[in-house]
């Protein structure tokens, strides 16, 4: 391996024993993973069998030691390790090691803590909660079998739910994922859309496919869908089923009627988890119907095993203008109410 040059700095040597993971997985083919680390830290890495020697400045050796420790953790959790995993971990720890922090706070410990929040490593990097509200969602899913998430557009409800579902599938906590959305018209008539029924419905389900495509390789996703391991369906298709060992997501739940909501919630079988997502400010149901999402806020409140998470504009993770747009609509709505009095 190439040796990084370190001048005018006292070098430290440290030998690490690799005993919790196959060294071939950790090091990568032809030591590919170690070469990535060497490119990012001025440390020479010498691998022999299940031992690794690190040579460099003390702070850099400590950072690389933490990189290797986190890689062992990820390899054991995912049963594999690839280039993207290594680059992600190196990026996190390198970023923290370069920041100016209080001496009382360990930079590496902070980086490791951030890595612990990662839900899923993907081809684009990783998914982790980015706001306090998103953290509450993750905590609620850990403690409850049904989690109801209510919040405005742009708060990452769908994306985070799909990431949690894919992570549960990868970790073999569930055997399948079922993602559903009500096929409700939002100002447009299905009858005027071109194509057969499936072609008319697919656009309603497209956001769920988009999230899945971000998190799984194309061929693997195709295989999962063909095998029925992952289902993306209109809400009505859940009727009459019992979903065991499944991670169920009902998205756009504000457009589920009261009967549809009851039907969905009573599909859960043994060892199943459900996330119900919705924005009660964007209900597209006819005025004669009532939103099942609004109703369950009262009906299911206080039941053990069911958690509620409410998000607000501070949890918006889209373009900065989305928050301003939400504010503008709220002010407009409240202004109209004031005029009516």
């Amino acid at each position: 391996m190439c040796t990084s040059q370190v001048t005018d700095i006292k070098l430290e040597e440290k030998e690490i024993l690799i005993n919790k993971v196959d060294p071939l997985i950790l090091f990568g083919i032809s030591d590919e993973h170690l070469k990535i680390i060497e490119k990012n830290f001025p440390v020479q890495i010498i691998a022999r069998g299940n031992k690794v020697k690190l040579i460099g400045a003390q702070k850099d050796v400590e950072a690389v030691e933490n990189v290797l420790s986190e890689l062992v953790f990820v390899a054991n959790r995912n049963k594999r390790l690839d280039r993207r995993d290594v680059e992600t971990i190196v990026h996190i720890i390198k970023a923290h090691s370069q920041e100016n922090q209080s001496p009382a706070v360990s930079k590496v410990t902070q980086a490791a803590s951030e890595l612990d929040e990662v839900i899923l490593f993907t081809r684009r990097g990783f998914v982790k909660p980015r706001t306090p509200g998103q953290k509450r969602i993750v905590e609620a899913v850990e403690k409850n079998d049904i989690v109801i998430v209510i919040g405005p557009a742009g708060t990452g409800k769908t994306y985070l739910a799909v990431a949690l579902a894919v992570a549960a599938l990868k970790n073999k906590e569930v055997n399948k994922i079922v993602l559903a959305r009500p096929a409700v018209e939002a100002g447009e008539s299905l009858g005027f859309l071109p194509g057969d029924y499936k072609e008319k419905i697919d656009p309603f389900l497209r956001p769920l496919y988009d999230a899945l495509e971000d998190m799984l390789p194309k061929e693997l996703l195709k295989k999962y869908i063909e095998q029925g391991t992952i289902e993306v369906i209109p809400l009505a298709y859940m009727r009459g089923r019992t979903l065991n060992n499944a991670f169920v997501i009902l998205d756009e739940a504000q457009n589920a009627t009261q009967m549809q909501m009851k039907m969905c919630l009573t599909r859960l079988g043994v060892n199943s988890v459900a996330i119900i997502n919705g924005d009660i400010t964007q209900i597209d149901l006819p005025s004669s119907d009532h939103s099942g999402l609004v109703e369950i806020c009262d009906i299911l409140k206080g039941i053990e095993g069911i958690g509620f998470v409410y998000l607000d504009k501070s949890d918006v993770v889209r373009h900065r203008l989305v928050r301003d747009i939400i504010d503008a609509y709220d002010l407009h709505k409240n202004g109209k109410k004031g005029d009516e009095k």
Side-chain angles (χ1 to χ4, degrees), residues 94-106:
K94 185 178 180 181
H96 280 272
S97 68
Q98 292 174 344
E99 289 176 357
N100 294 321
Q101 300 180 38
S102 167
V105 180
S106 167

Side-chain angles (χ1 to χ4, degrees), residues 88-144:
T88 298
I89 292 169
V90 164
H91 171 75
I92 293 173
I93 293 183
K94 185 178 180 181
H96 280 272
S97 68
Q98 292 174 344
E99 289 176 357
N100 294 321
Q101 300 180 38
S102 167
V105 180
S106 167
K107 300 173 184 177
V108 175
T109 299
Q110 281 197 353
S113 174
E114 180 177 335
L115 190 65
D116 286 342
E117 293 181 354
V118 172
I119 297 167
L120 183 70
F121 289 93
T122 75
R123 61 188 177 88
R124 293 189 175 183
F126 58 90
V127 182
K128 56 171 280 185
R130 295 170 60 187
T131 70
Q134 289 190 352
K135 288 182 180 180
R136 292 198 302 274
I137 294 173
V138 176
E139 291 166 358
V141 171
E142 290 173 352
K143 297 174 184 177
N144 300 278

Side-chain angles (χ1 to χ4, degrees), residues 22-269:
D22 184 342
L24 290 175
I25 295 176
L26 181 63
F27 301 159
I29 298 173
S30 301
D31 293 337
E32 177 190 21
H33 299 160
L34 300 184
K35 290 174 182 176
I36 294 172
I37 299 171
E38 279 190 326
K39 284 181 180 179
N40 287 274
F41 295 94
V43 172
Q44 181 183 7
I45 305 175
I46 303 171
R48 294 288 184 272
N50 66 338
K51 293 181 180 179
V52 175
K53 181 184 285 188
L54 307 178
I55 304 173
Q58 181 181 359
K59 66 181 182 64
D60 297 318
V61 168
E62 289 177 353
V64 171
E65 185 179 2
N66 277 274
V67 169
L68 293 173
S69 175
E70 295 301 335
L71 289 175
V72 169
F73 171 78
V74 172
N76 283 323
R77 183 180 63 183
N78 296 348
K79 310 303 180 188
R80 56 186 285 278
L81 199 64
D82 62 26
R83 183 184 183 89
R84 290 185 295 273
D85 297 332
V86 179
E87 290 172 343
T88 298
I89 292 169
V90 164
H91 171 75
I92 293 173
I93 293 183
K94 185 178 180 181
H96 280 272
S97 68
Q98 292 174 344
E99 289 176 357
N100 294 321
Q101 300 180 38
S102 167
V105 180
S106 167
K107 300 173 184 177
V108 175
T109 299
Q110 281 197 353
S113 174
E114 180 177 335
L115 190 65
D116 286 342
E117 293 181 354
V118 172
I119 297 167
L120 183 70
F121 289 93
T122 75
R123 61 188 177 88
R124 293 189 175 183
F126 58 90
V127 182
K128 56 171 280 185
R130 295 170 60 187
T131 70
Q134 289 190 352
K135 288 182 180 180
R136 292 198 302 274
I137 294 173
V138 176
E139 291 166 358
V141 171
E142 290 173 352
K143 297 174 184 177
N144 300 278
D145 290 333
I146 297 176
V147 175
I148 296 153
V149 182
I150 298 174
T155 48
K157 302 184 296 295
T158 301
Y159 200 81
L160 189 66
V162 173
L164 288 165
V166 172
L169 182 65
K170 281 190 170 183
N171 296 335
K172 299 184 178 179
E173 296 168 12
V174 296
N175 295 335
K176 71 180 306 177
I177 297 173
V178 178
L179 303 98
R181 271 191 167 200
V184 175
E185 302 162 2
E188 298 171 292
S189 175
L190 280 174
F192 289 98
L193 293 175
D196 58 21
Y197 181 73
K198 184 180 184 302
E199 290 171 328
K200 292 175 189 287
I201 290 297
D202 273 353
F204 289 90
L205 306 176
R206 188 68 247 173
L208 300 176
Y209 283 113
D210 288 343
L212 286 169
E213 288 168 1
D214 266 3
M215 297 173 199
L216 289 168
K218 187 175 180 180
E219 289 305 313
L220 182 59
L221 176 57
K222 182 180 178 182
K223 177 183 174 183
Y224 279 157
I225 291 174
E226 289 174 351
Q227 293 176 341
T229 302
I230 294 179
E231 292 183 65
V232 184
I233 58 175
L235 175 57
Y237 283 29
M238 292 180 68
R239 188 172 299 280
R241 302 179 62 183
T242 300
L243 301 172
N244 295 318
N245 299 303
F247 200 115
V248 180
I249 298 173
L250 173 58
D251 202 42
E252 294 290 320
Q254 75 275 6
N255 289 328
T257 65
Q258 295 167 340
M259 290 302 296
Q260 285 178 326
M261 182 63 73
K262 181 180 179 182
M263 178 271 290
C264 177
L265 291 171
T266 53
R267 298 308 92 200
L268 289 191

